[in-house]
Amino acid sequence: MAKRKLIFDVDTGSDDALALMSALLSENEFEVLGVCTVSGNRDVDNTTENTLRVIELLHKEHIPVIKGASRPLIAKLDYTRHINQQLETVDENGEIISYHAEYLPLPAAKIKPLEKVHAASWYIQTLLNSEEKITLVLTGPLTNFALAYRTAPEILDHIAEIVIMGGGKNQTNSTSASEFNIFFDPEAAFITLSVGSKVPLTMMMLDATHQAYLTYEDAARLRKLNNAIGEFAAVETESRIKAYNLLQPLGKKDIAPIHDALCVMYLLDPTVITKKEFLHVDVVCGGIANGQTLIDNRRASQAIKNVHVCYSTDSDKFREMLVSILEKSNYLH
Ligand code: RIB
Ligand code: CA
């Protein structure tokens, strides 16, 4: 199978970093054309710097990083738009524990993002000029894609498929109704999901990504690589385990969901997802349920289907796939 061309859009971000690394290490399967950045986990200046650090860690300096939106399309309309998710805490040793450090624990980047071009413009020029259809992997708030699509809807003709991390049915994190990427920019999510009736759009929602995790055992295996990639991946896994234990305990202790990496594992092997349905999905914009993804799974629904909704993951398969790919770093030239 010919290499699939990918465009990433990230708010790096510990799990964005591992997702991007896994795609960059899958050189026989993917050609990463560029990585767009957006505000989300951290401000876009931080997510851009963090993405540049990951690109340098993998020695992929030829891949452009393109800075994107610093704010959601329609921000802070009312009180419900202020995130009330506890994003960091202090452990018994006084150590700050968070899902995403301000800066990833990697050397400051020497390379710079593309100059004088915004991610939304870059999407348009790259997609419209591409002979081959491109796959979009969107693992942060969807502001950049929404801007690009509203500006030049004809980009859809150049998109093979879109895979997003976002949403939830029985699982939430930002509020009792919403998942972070959607909550951060609900209008952009509404616009993005609307294209799912025209191009294949798959949603890795929390119900599936909470089952896409790594463990301390996986971190130990990564550390055995004795290289910077293995050490970084191990450190990020361990810090995410601590963050989940303290901030968002899930059904199992000592696990770190690597939400964004599930998008890449799915592209490599769709059987990592054990339940997926093509349904109609709406996004609530504003009000107390702001950012909620409303999944219409009524059998008699007449609503236009727009999203391949992923409900569950083969956790063991996910772990083995992600760690095995990161172990390829031993052969990185
Ligand atoms: O809700 C999890 C998502 O929000 C992940 O993409 C994480 O990186 C944050 O962006
Ligand atoms: Ca992310």
Side-chain angles (χ1 to χ4, degrees), residues 59-73:
H59 309 300
K60 301 290 184 184
E61 290 83 351
H62 64 284
I63 295 176
V65 174
I66 311 95
K67 186 175 170 184
S70 60
R71 306 271 292 151
L73 296 182

Side-chain angles (χ1 to χ4, degrees), residues 11 15 137-142 163-169 171-173 177-184 189 192-193 201-210 259-263 281-283 291-295 307-311:
D11 60 336
D15 57 333
V137 183
L138 312 178
T139 65
L142 297 161
V163 184
I164 74 164
M165 191 281 138
K169 182 161 180 73
Q171 303 277 312
T172 64
N173 56 19
S178 66
E179 177 279 328
F180 179 84
N181 288 336
I182 310 300
F183 179 86
F184 194 91
T192 303
L193 295 195
L201 189 149
T202 303
M203 181 170 85
M204 296 295 154
M205 63 179 182
L206 289 174
D207 303 58
T209 65
H210 278 163
H259 307 279
D260 299 334
L262 185 56
C263 299
V281 181
D282 276 306
V283 178
Q292 185 176 22
T293 45
L294 290 182
I295 298 165
V307 179
H308 297 275
V309 180
C310 295
Y311 284 84

Side-chain angles (χ1 to χ4, degrees), residues 67-214:
K67 186 175 170 184
S70 60
R71 306 271 292 151
L73 296 182
I74 303 174
K76 310 281 180 271
L77 267 188
D78 58 37
Y79 77 95
T80 60
R81 296 204 164 199
H82 294 276
I83 291 179
N84 59 14
Q85 178 189 6
Q86 193 187 354
L87 295 175
E88 63 184 36
T89 186
V90 177
D91 71 5
E92 67 281 357
N93 306 318
E95 183 189 349
I96 292 180
I97 302 295
S98 74
Y99 301 108
H100 308 284
E102 196 178 357
Y103 289 103
L104 292 178
L106 291 169
K110 298 181 189 64
I111 56 175
K112 299 290 179 204
L114 277 193
E115 292 194 348
K116 301 189 179 74
V117 63
H118 186 281
S121 312
W122 185 84
Y123 264 117
I124 295 168
Q125 65 195 27
T126 304
L127 287 166
L128 295 186
N129 291 326
S130 174
E131 291 296 309
E132 197 179 318
K133 291 199 174 192
I134 297 172
T135 295
L136 307 188
V137 183
L138 312 178
T139 65
L142 297 161
T143 315
N144 293 329
F145 176 78
L147 286 167
Y149 174 61
R150 275 286 183 262
T151 305
E154 62 273 24
I155 59 174
L156 292 194
D157 298 335
H158 301 262
I159 294 173
E161 67 173 304
I162 300 173
V163 184
I164 74 164
M165 191 281 138
K169 182 161 180 73
N170 300 317
Q171 303 277 312
T172 64
N173 56 19
S174 275
T175 67
S176 58
S178 66
E179 177 279 328
F180 179 84
N181 288 336
I182 310 300
F183 179 86
F184 194 91
D185 194 339
E187 285 75 15
F190 180 91
I191 292 167
T192 303
L193 295 195
S194 72
V195 312
S197 56
K198 304 179 189 80
V199 294
L201 189 149
T202 303
M203 181 170 85
M204 296 295 154
M205 63 179 182
L206 289 174
D207 303 58
T209 65
H210 278 163
Q211 298 172 355
Y213 55 78
L214 293 183

